[in-house]
Amino acid sequence: MLNKTYIFINDTKYCCNKSDTVLQVALNNGIDIPHFCYHEDLPIDANCRTCLVEYNQEVTTSCTLKVKKGMRIYTDTRNIKILRKENLELLLSGHKKTCHRCIKGHYCKTAETIKKYRIKNKYQKKKIKKNIHQLGTAAEFDPNACISCNKCVEICEKIGIGFLKLEGKGANNRITYNKDPNIDCIYCGQCTVHCPVTAIREQSHIESVEKDLKDKNKIVIAQMAPSVRASIGEEFGAIIGTDLSGKMYTAFRVLGFDKVFDVNMGADITTIVEAKELIDRLEGNGKLPMFTSCCPGWVKFVEFYYPEMLDHLTQSRSPQIHSGGAYKTWWAKKEGLDPKDISVVSFMPCTSKKYEARNKRLYINGLKPVDHVLTTRETSVLLRKNNIDLLNLKPGVVDKYGVFSGAASIYGASGGVMESALRTAIYYLSGEKNTQIEFKEVRGMKGIKKASIKIGRKRLNIAVVCMPKNARIVLEEIKKDPKLFDYVEFMACPGGCIGGGGQPIPSTEKIIEQRIKGLYKIDKKMVLRTAHDNPVVKDFFENYIDKIPDKEKKKILYRSFKKKNKFQ
């Protein structure tokens, strides 16, 4: 108890850590104090000045006020309420006229705050210039909705990119981008998941999805990424990490999707392709170490910052592109359907997957493998718009050709791609049923994890890396010693896809850790835990891929990479 103390908030006693701020104590105990510029993983700036409290008859920001034993804090005095509302009106009075969700009548958390505190638009300018800045085909920034809280800039710096900047002072300060030609955005969307007012957000695909669902000539497929099922519940009050796979399958059918498949099936395809390529490279047919290429944010990072290392990337496509491509070729042929009539919608924890889906280098016979991508946040909006009470739905099951393994479920966690591939590589090298399924050396939130693992008669030196700042460290190590590793997994976001830019807000390291536990629970309870044992994937390879020309195989299974210039 040496690190513990207590304070009083509105005359109620609360136990807390001596290092806490008053805002942290309030949040930990469910006490309502509005705040926008506070994020527990980022510096405290006190820019928004909405988290006001009264202490010793003085008004101060609770995010900067450190606890003192026995101190008395008041959050609801008349003076506080007046000042808080004034600050909120200054920040948010024009929100509904600039927010893309509010304008389109979609659910918006910031609009809930406006309603709760009865914010008026007395500071609203008469004319608002539409000046939306596009970040590739992934995200966008609306300066009219920005409150200059600086969180997007800080997270961009923290992960090791530094593309976003805050310029100017006082009323003239604004978010802009770094003009340095050697610095570019990787479309990871960490700025969007750290923006408290949707000023910087994903580019919406909701309307496009709704249009396809209404088109009677379209066969519309829903496919959900591993991470979404363990995080979507946060938007509806579920415990963090709760597996809502079954309820989401039901929700997709209620929304009107014709088929409910799964990106996890595509992850099993990716595992097999990647494991075979790893073995091939270990036998001398390619550059080592081999790098994963599932994360489009990471791929953009290499294409822009380290183009000299593109040969290290596995040529395997990503899970959503593999499954989307499979459904528009193999499955379309099975069902006697024209691929042009199929629309594939991916539900992803990521904004860069929108960018990936628009990459023409990934098209198959002129068609996108994936037509639309909705983030976890957009998925929540779509469910609310259709009055779907997710937590009270009866669980459904995935359609036949969406069956997946436990190995696919952990793709969302940093180290999951590596672990899945190792499970299958062991089988291919030994030809025997796996005795080792779990590789706990590659698990966890640590930014760089290194290990030496024996598979068959071979010993592999491996590394698992998340975030660009850590990628730079490992890539420079490899430049100095090319034989340092055999296989390296890279992800752009903290904790992997589970901490992706399309996830629910807030997304903190503590929350990400809980989501990760949820993914490993899914894997643990699965009877089928290795990709090569998936009967659907076996059918895909044995009865389709193995019987088509090599040129057609390459279109469906593999990809290439290209050096990128700024804004490409």
Side-chain angles (χ1 to χ4, degrees):
M1 297 294 288
L2 292 176
N3 294 320
K4 294 291 183 180
T5 188
Y6 66 90
I7 66 172
F8 293 90
I9 301 180
N10 299 330
D11 296 323
T12 300
K13 186 177 179 180
Y14 295 96
C15 182
C16 57
N17 297 314
K18 289 180 178 178
S19 59
D20 285 347
T21 63
V22 169
L23 180 59
Q24 286 173 317
V25 179
L27 294 176
N28 291 340
N29 289 280
I31 299 168
D32 178 39
I33 299 179
H35 57 281
F36 291 103
C37 71
Y38 172 78
H39 190 286
E40 66 181 56
D41 299 335
L42 297 175
I44 294 173
D45 301 312
N47 286 332
C48 73
R49 304 196 69 79
T50 58
C51 66
L52 299 175
V53 294
E54 193 172 294
Y55 171 55
N56 281 348
Q57 297 183 329
E58 291 185 1
V59 174
T60 185
T61 49
S62 59
C63 65
T64 58
L65 184 59
K66 290 286 186 179
V67 299
K68 295 178 182 177
K69 183 178 179 180
M71 68 192 307
R72 291 186 176 271
I73 302 295
Y74 295 94
T75 69
D76 57 359
T77 64
R78 184 174 181 275
N79 190 31
I80 287 294
K81 289 177 179 178
I82 291 171
L83 289 171
R84 182 182 291 157
K85 186 176 180 182
E86 188 77 14
N87 286 347
L88 285 167
E89 284 178 343
L90 281 165
L91 290 173
L92 304 176
S93 60
H95 178 87
K96 288 190 175 182
K97 291 189 177 182
T98 58
C99 173
H100 73 314
R101 286 188 180 174
C102 291
I103 291 168
K104 293 172 182 176
H106 294 170
Y107 168 76
C108 175
K109 284 184 178 178
T110 305
E112 276 192 353
T113 301
I114 291 170
K115 184 178 179 181
K116 179 177 180 180
Y117 291 98
R118 299 178 182 178
I119 305 302
K120 297 176 183 178
N121 67 341
K122 62 183 182 181
Y123 295 102
Q124 175 64 53
K125 294 177 182 178
K126 290 183 179 180
K127 290 184 179 180
I128 296 173
K129 292 181 181 180
K130 289 186 177 180
N131 191 23
I132 308 297
H133 302 286
Q134 304 283 315
L135 299 176
T137 52
E140 62 186 24
F141 171 59
D142 180 358
N144 293 303
C146 179
I147 62 171
S148 299
C149 69
N150 209 33
K151 294 302 110 176
C152 59
V153 174
E154 288 171 352
I155 191 63
C156 195
E157 285 286 348
K158 182 176 179 177
I159 66 171
I161 294 296
F163 177 74
L164 296 174
K165 293 176 65 180
L166 189 66
E167 285 187 350
K169 294 182 179 180
N172 295 318
N173 77 338
R174 60 193 177 90
I175 303 296
T176 185
Y177 67 89
N178 197 318
K179 308 300 189 298
D180 187 333
N182 298 311
I183 295 175
D184 197 16
C185 178
I186 63 170
Y187 312 132
C188 68
Q190 283 302 305
C191 51
T192 73
V193 81
H194 286 81
C195 176
V197 291
T198 67
I200 193 161
R201 65 245 178 173
E202 63 271 84
Q203 292 179 23
S204 178
H205 286 190
I206 293 174
E207 290 73 25
S208 302
V209 171
E210 290 176 323
K211 183 180 177 182
D212 280 3
L213 286 170
K214 290 174 183 176
D215 188 341
K216 294 180 180 179
N217 296 316
K218 289 276 187 186
I219 306 298
V220 191
I221 294 171
Q223 58 168 12
M224 176 172 56
S227 294
V228 175
R229 70 205 69 215
S231 59
I232 185 69
E234 293 166 38
E235 294 279 0
F236 297 90
I239 295 171
I240 298 167
T242 302
D243 176 19
L244 293 178
S245 299
K247 292 180 185 290
M248 283 301 295
Y249 296 147
T250 300
F252 292 143
R253 293 186 175 98
V254 173
L255 287 168
F257 284 90
D258 298 291
K259 288 292 176 181
V260 177
F261 293 143
D262 209 298
V263 171
N264 280 6
M265 192 283 287
D268 280 338
I269 294 174
T270 303
T271 293
I272 289 171
V273 174
E274 193 160 312
K276 286 180 177 180
E277 185 179 348
L278 175 62
I279 292 168
D280 194 44
R281 291 193 185 214
L282 289 171
E283 292 173 349
N285 300 314
K287 271 196 175 180
L288 289 173
M290 186 176 86
F291 299 160
T292 61
S293 65
C294 290
C295 171
W298 148 248
V299 170
K300 170 66 191 294
F301 177 80
V302 185
E303 289 181 322
F304 183 80
Y305 291 99
Y306 286 87
E308 71 276 17
M309 303 190 85
L310 288 174
D311 287 348
H312 290 275
L313 288 165
T314 171
Q315 294 181 323
S316 171
R317 293 180 164 219
S318 75
Q320 75 152 351
I321 301 299
H322 267 147
S323 51
Y327 294 135
K328 288 194 177 185
T329 54
W330 157 75
W331 181 76
K333 185 177 180 181
K334 271 182 178 292
E335 301 295 319
L337 297 170
D338 186 339
K340 293 178 182 177
D341 296 332
I342 298 172
S343 174
V344 176
V345 180
S346 291
F347 294 84
M348 308 297 293
C350 180
T351 56
S352 66
K353 287 294 180 181
K354 290 175 181 279
Y355 163 73
E356 180 184 57
R358 294 290 184 268
N359 185 348
K360 291 184 178 179
R361 296 172 74 87
L362 299 175
Y363 285 19
I364 300 172
N365 301 324
L367 296 177
K368 305 185 197 83
V370 172
D371 296 273
H372 314 293
V373 175
L374 296 188
T375 63
T376 311
R377 294 191 299 271
E378 285 179 291
T379 305
S380 163
V381 169
L382 188 61
L383 294 175
R384 290 174 187 273
K385 187 176 180 181
N386 288 273
N387 298 312
I388 295 174
D389 186 359
L390 182 63
L391 300 187
N392 286 316
L393 292 178
K394 289 184 179 179
V397 294
V398 71
D399 285 334
K400 179 181 176 181
Y401 293 106
V403 168
F404 56 89
S405 74
S409 301
I410 61 175
Y411 257 64
S414 173
V417 178
M418 169 82 68
E419 186 169 348
S420 301
L422 291 177
R423 292 180 188 183
T424 291
I426 285 177
Y427 170 75
Y428 287 145
L429 285 168
S430 67
E432 299 175 357
K433 187 173 177 66
N434 288 26
T435 54
Q436 184 178 5
I437 292 291
E438 297 181 352
F439 294 85
K440 294 184 178 178
E441 301 95 325
V442 301
R443 297 182 179 183
M445 283 286 291
K446 197 175 176 183
I448 300 174
K449 292 164 280 190
K450 300 176 182 179
S452 180
I453 291 178
K454 189 175 182 182
I455 60 169
R457 294 181 179 179
K458 295 182 180 291
R459 182 162 287 280
L460 294 188
N461 293 320
I462 61 173
V464 172
V465 185
C466 62
M467 294 194 292
K469 68 175 183 181
N470 295 316
R472 293 180 198 275
I473 293 170
V474 172
L475 290 173
E476 293 302 324
E477 287 178 350
I478 291 168
K479 279 187 173 183
K480 290 177 182 177
D481 183 2
K483 295 184 179 180
L484 189 60
F485 302 108
D486 299 296
Y487 186 26
V488 188
E489 176 194 306
F490 290 94
M491 291 287 169
C493 294
C497 304
I498 200 74
Q503 289 285 60
I505 299 171
S507 186
T508 68
E509 290 177 8
K510 289 178 184 177
I511 289 172
I512 293 168
E513 284 178 351
Q514 293 303 112
R515 293 173 184 161
I516 288 173
K517 289 178 182 177
L519 293 179
Y520 286 117
K521 283 180 182 177
I522 296 171
D523 170 43
K524 194 85 172 177
K525 69 183 181 184
M526 298 282 285
V527 175
L528 180 67
R529 297 189 67 190
T530 50
H532 54 274
D533 289 322
N534 184 339
V536 172
V537 172
K538 280 184 179 180
D539 179 76
F540 169 70
F541 279 101
E542 293 173 6
N543 296 317
Y544 184 72
I545 290 295
D546 292 347
K547 295 180 179 180
I548 61 176
D550 286 346
K551 188 176 180 181
E552 294 301 308
K553 286 181 191 176
K554 287 182 180 179
K555 288 181 184 177
I556 299 167
L557 298 180
Y558 304 103
R559 63 163 301 179
S560 59
F561 307 94
K562 183 182 178 182
K563 178 182 176 180
K564 290 283 175 69
N565 296 317
K566 190 159 181 148
F567 300 131
Q568 282 190 320

